Amino acid sequence: MGSRAKTSGISLSAKDAAIAKGMLARGDRQHDVAAWFGVNGGRIAEISTGMRFSRVKAQHDDLPPAGPYPAGKVALEAVTALAAARAALANAEAMIQRSIR
């Protein structure tokens, strides 16, 4: 029998629930809403069915962009590419600084 993974420690607030309800009303998939908040899809299902935050009204303005969102792998690749670009820019700037002295 395996052991369970540690919990993420992420809790959704009433404000988060209002945003989640707004995203769902806009037509976002529960999976994408869960990915935005970094929670299990079951938490969004609980909000969707009224099991949790039933009295919270949906927020309809200032919503995050509609998903789908990049997977962790893609996000890591983007961060790595940005670090390489930052290093290249720093090297180019150093070369320019040396040439104008």
Side-chain angles (χ1 to χ4, degrees):
M1 193 94 179
S3 61
R4 296 185 76 160
K6 291 187 344 183
T7 63
S8 68
I10 299 171
S11 298
L12 295 175
S13 66
K15 174 131 178 78
D16 295 334
I19 293 168
K21 286 182 178 187
M23 293 171 77
L24 292 168
R26 177 175 68 191
D28 292 21
R29 298 179 308 163
Q30 286 185 5
H31 173 83
D32 292 331
V33 177
W36 177 259
F37 288 102
V39 297
N40 180 289
R43 303 303 69 80
I44 303 305
E46 291 170 348
I47 292 170
S48 176
T49 62
M51 184 182 290
R52 294 190 188 255
F53 298 105
S54 61
R55 295 176 195 251
V56 172
K57 301 273 189 242
Q59 177 175 320
H60 295 287
D61 57 338
D62 297 323
L63 295 175
Y69 305 106
K73 178 181 176 187
V74 174
L76 180 59
E77 290 169 354
V79 168
T80 302
L82 286 170
R86 189 178 299 118
L89 286 170
N91 287 337
E93 183 178 15
M95 284 177 43
I96 293 168
Q97 291 298 329
R98 285 193 301 269
S99 71
I100 60 174
R101 287 185 191 159

